[in-house]
Amino acid sequence: RLSVVTRQFLQTAAVLGGSFRLGDTAEMLGTSPAALLPAVDEALCAGVLVTTGDALAFRHQLVWQAVSQTLPPPVAQALHRQIGEILMARGGSAVAAATHLLSWARSGDAAALAGLDRAAAEVLQSSPAIAADLATRALELTRPGDPELIHRSVAAAEALTAAGRLAAATELTWSALSLPLPPAASARLRCALSSALWMNGQATEALIEAERVL
């Protein structure tokens, strides 16, 4: 029963999450918040949206999911890419863009992978599990021969180790060490490997790798 403009507004907003800022939706639609007031008013009157402090939110999680599911997957991916690029272009924290980056990143997409790199580094100390997810996804999407392959292998190994995913960290590190590596990258990988082996109770093997670093 909603107008076409309001449906478009709600579908775009749904990509931002269960709650969202009107300014973000306006930027995605290439318009101003003021121009969206009729759509906002219609959605509020219909009970689809509610206000929550300085944001708007879908009335219920199920409503948000229902609206999200009206978007075909290719369209949803394109919208996630758009908001991910907007958030990254603003500078500041990359964490807000991380979910969207994971949704639309594709193999060989340098901009998307750079965003995943930045977000992984940013959250490594506070949320190593999230950093591990981001770093390993970036590595998976990096093509063989890409100049960033070694850097992403190191980042993923360190994040997996910090997250306590010791088997995955060890497997990845051994694989990366089979590549031609500059000394600094090799040393960082062996440090991560030594830590993973130590935490896994393999003290002798950990000592061997630490001595190789020295």
Side-chain angles (χ1 to χ4, degrees):
R1 298 190 298 273
L2 299 176
S3 67
V4 173
V5 173
T6 301
R7 290 203 303 271
Q8 181 187 24
F9 161 67
L10 290 171
Q11 287 175 315
T12 304
V15 175
L16 296 168
S19 64
F20 57 93
R21 295 183 181 277
L22 183 59
D24 291 339
T25 311
E27 188 170 356
M28 290 183 69
L29 291 169
T31 187
S32 67
L36 292 177
L37 290 180
V40 173
D41 185 59
E42 185 178 3
L44 289 170
C45 291
V48 179
L49 296 179
V50 295
T51 58
T52 58
D54 61 350
L56 294 168
F58 287 89
R59 178 176 53 85
H60 193 281
Q61 185 84 357
L62 292 176
V63 175
W64 170 55
Q65 291 174 348
V67 175
S68 299
Q69 289 169 3
T70 65
L71 291 168
V75 176
Q77 289 171 2
L79 292 176
H80 277 294
R81 173 170 188 154
Q82 183 184 3
I83 186 58
E85 290 177 339
I86 288 172
L87 294 173
M88 291 298 297
R90 288 178 184 172
S93 175
V95 176
T99 300
H100 302 287
L101 294 170
L102 285 170
S103 298
W104 63 266
R106 293 293 178 269
S107 177
D109 192 328
L113 298 183
L116 290 175
D117 292 341
R118 180 176 153 193
E122 185 176 323
V123 301
L124 179 59
Q125 297 300 320
S126 59
S127 303
I130 295 175
D133 290 340
L134 294 168
T136 54
R137 183 58 177 156
L139 180 60
E140 289 168 359
L141 295 174
T142 302
R143 293 172 178 168
D146 190 310
E148 294 298 320
L149 180 63
I150 293 174
H151 166 74
R152 291 190 179 121
S153 296
V154 173
E158 291 177 340
L160 286 167
T161 302
R165 301 178 190 175
L166 306 181
T170 302
E171 181 180 356
L172 169 61
T173 306
W174 280 124
S175 176
L177 285 170
S178 67
L179 302 172
L181 298 172
S186 177
R188 286 181 61 182
L189 282 167
R190 290 194 184 279
C191 282
L193 178 58
S194 180
S195 295
L197 291 169
W198 173 262
M199 289 188 286
N200 201 39
Q202 297 172 265
T204 301
E205 292 84 351
L207 176 60
I208 290 171
E209 295 305 322
E211 288 176 336
R212 285 177 175 171
V213 174
L214 293 174

